[in-house]
Amino acid sequence: MLRLLHIEFIKAFNFKALWYLFLIYILALGIILFGVETFINDIIGEGGRNLPITLPKMSLYAFPLVWHNISYLAGFFKVFPAIMIIILVTNEYSYKTIKQQVISGLSRNELFFAKISLIFATSAIMGLLVGIFGFILGFLNTETIVFNVVIAKSQFILVYMLEVFAYGSFGFLIATLVKRSGFAIGVLLLWAYIAEPIIAYKLLGDWGDFLPLRSIGNLIRIPNSQLMKIFGIEFQEYISSGDLYIALAYTLIFNLIVWIIYKRTDL
Amino acid sequence: MEILKINKLTKHYGKLTAVDKLELSIDKGSIYGILGPNGSGKTTTLGMILNVIRPSSGSFTWFADSDLNVNRQKIGAIIETPIFYPYLSGQKNLEIFCKIKKIGYADIDRVLNIVELYERRKDAFKTYSLGMKQRLAIAGALLGEPEVLILDEPTNGLDPQGIAEIRNLIINIAKNGITIILASHLLDEVQKVCSHVMILKKGKKLIAGRVDDILREPDIFEVKVEETEKLRELILNNSDLNLIQEHQGLFVFSYKEHSNGKDLNQFLIENGLVASHLQKQEKSLESYFLNIIEHA
Ligand SMILES: Nc1ncnc2c1ncn2[C@@H]1O[C@H](COP(=O)(O)OP(=O)(O)OP(=O)(O)O)[C@@H](O)[C@H]1O
Ligand SMILES: [Mg+2]
């Protein structure tokens, strides 16, 4: 597996477009993470003034809340790693290197698991990055640091990695079906931001929550903030095993379809 | 020892049968030429035995072993056009090959020197000329000293000097007991380097065997005489002579095995004929090939 990952690393590391995407991702994430707090605190400040009770001034990024809040916000950017994966997968088709690798001696299974290791590594890197952001913001915004409090709820970072992995697997599927990078990215964006929301809206009841990308997004639900408490809304503050199973099932299905395609088709 | 055994290998593309129940056995150390006109199924056959194209039916076995994946690292191959990551250097592209073949990077310098690309190894693949790309593909196939080399038109895009170099390279490699499977349109090249050939037409095997055996046939002569009637009669009444063609007084006929022009001339004079033109046709794979393709 490490050998396969190394092969993917050589291809990815030297591909410039990927670096630009990664930099944009870091930049966008940084701006949002550091920007949102000021924004929300401002609103709370404004709202608090007209309220009979005073809201406790509590940062979004204090330990341990930071883990939930930050992984939720980072969830909006999981389309970046998915696009990176799409580019790397479709490259193999446009350069025909998917064929060459088999000619050189890679088995169909290795071909598939090389890409799985790539998606895994991407998720790990993204998770690590968000984790680092979390630590920085946490230490900056927590007055007394207690170890147990710091690591409480840090499982959200792990779940964030799963979220990126699942979303990346969806990208992998589209890339394998469509084979051309621009087209595949278009399909992903179209599905994620237009088609699925419309279908979810048309579906009765909670069925929309079972759509692929929405159920992946449901892994980390919108966190409670002081702002929401103003309106008396309470959200789920934990990872439910039901959400976990649905997302895992989708991940499995996406990759299973790709695996069958990898096994069956002429290259 | 049998290196490759192909059993009733077939590939359909819709209604078209690209390869039709192909049977072939290749022994260790042979240089096997695969010939055939465009679209006769050479690349499709090689693609199937390399696991790139899924056969519609039939099977093949490498090294008399049923586990394909275990053995794939022992096979080096080029199929039609060189395929590499354009943005990676020649060196980096070959590093990927090494990882795939589970060998160290140490062999890269050796193969780059063989194809004379060592100086350009740091340049991106997309900056290479066509011939350089083809050379890199050959380098990739040679990595890890494979036991079998599969070369589909390896001299595609090379200059005459490059073609000669590749020919010598193939001959040298073959001396080390490496088995080579070579598909090419350069019949002259094939005749020079191959021990065996198979000829394909529309996916079907027309003939396969040792080049020497295939070319062992009566010599063919062209003769012109004044007395055409007399020659025609002589040919018809003599079992050593077989008329192939008569055109504007030029007779083309075969004369018993391993003869030379002198024998024939003697024979004609003994029969009261004086030839104004007598020529032995060059015995070549090319003429054999063109003949069998046309008449099959
Ligand atoms: N992917 C494909 N889809 C449909 N038909 C195909 C495909 N690949 C090959 N063919 C057909 O299969 C036949 C054999 O093609 P193949 O490439 O094996 O020929 P070839 O002997 O290598 O020819 P050439 O000398 O031109 O390289 C051709 O008729 C070709 O059109
Ligand atoms: Mg071909």
Side-chain angles (χ1 to χ4, degrees), chain A residues 110-127:
Chain A
E110 288 176 321
L111 209 59
F112 171 75
F113 282 110
K115 287 292 177 282
I116 292 293
S117 73
L118 170 75
I119 303 172
F120 186 83
T122 309
S123 322
I125 292 169
M126 297 302 167

Side-chain angles (χ1 to χ4, degrees), chain A residues 3 6-7 11 14-15 92 95-97 100-108 263-264 266-267, chain B residues 11 50-54 69 72-73 77 79 83 85-88 96-97 99-102 105:
Chain A
R3 162 176 152 259
H6 192 159
I7 293 173
K11 301 173 199 167
N14 296 287
F15 195 63
E92 308 279 12
Y95 302 147
K96 297 202 179 105
T97 40
Q100 181 59 48
Q101 291 180 93
V102 173
I103 293 174
S104 304
L106 224 52
S107 72
R108 302 287 183 118
K263 285 290 250 192
R264 294 258 170 96
D266 288 346
L267 301 175
Chain B
K11 179 69 185 180
L50 284 169
N51 199 18
V52 171
I53 298 172
R54 306 260 103 171
N69 293 328
R72 285 300 312 284
Q73 269 85 34
I79 296 287
I83 304 171
Y85 297 91
Y87 60 91
L88 290 181
I96 292 178
F97 274 54
K99 281 283 158 205
I100 292 176
K101 291 177 183 293
K102 298 181 184 153
Y105 293 165

Side-chain angles (χ1 to χ4, degrees), chain A residues 214-234:
Chain A
R214 186 178 274 234
S215 46
I216 292 168
N218 279 347
L219 276 173
I220 299 170
R221 306 244 176 183
I222 186 165
N224 285 318
S225 63
Q226 300 306 326
L227 175 65
M228 291 307 161
K229 285 194 174 127
I230 300 170
F231 302 112
I233 305 168
E234 284 278 350

Side-chain angles (χ1 to χ4, degrees), chain B residues 13 16 18 36-45 80 153 185:
Chain B
Y13 287 114
L16 183 126
N38 292 131
S40 56
K42 302 181 295 294
T43 301
T44 307
T45 303
E80 286 192 331
E153 299 178 36
H185 290 297

Side-chain angles (χ1 to χ4, degrees), chain A residues 23-40 60-61 70 73-74 77 129 133 137:
Chain A
L23 286 178
I24 294 173
Y25 170 80
I26 296 177
L27 223 71
L29 196 64
I31 290 171
I32 291 297
L33 291 185
F34 287 89
V36 156
E37 190 188 38
T38 359
F39 175 70
I40 290 195
L60 278 175
Y61 295 137
I70 197 175
L73 287 172
F77 297 94
L129 204 74
F133 272 131
L137 288 168

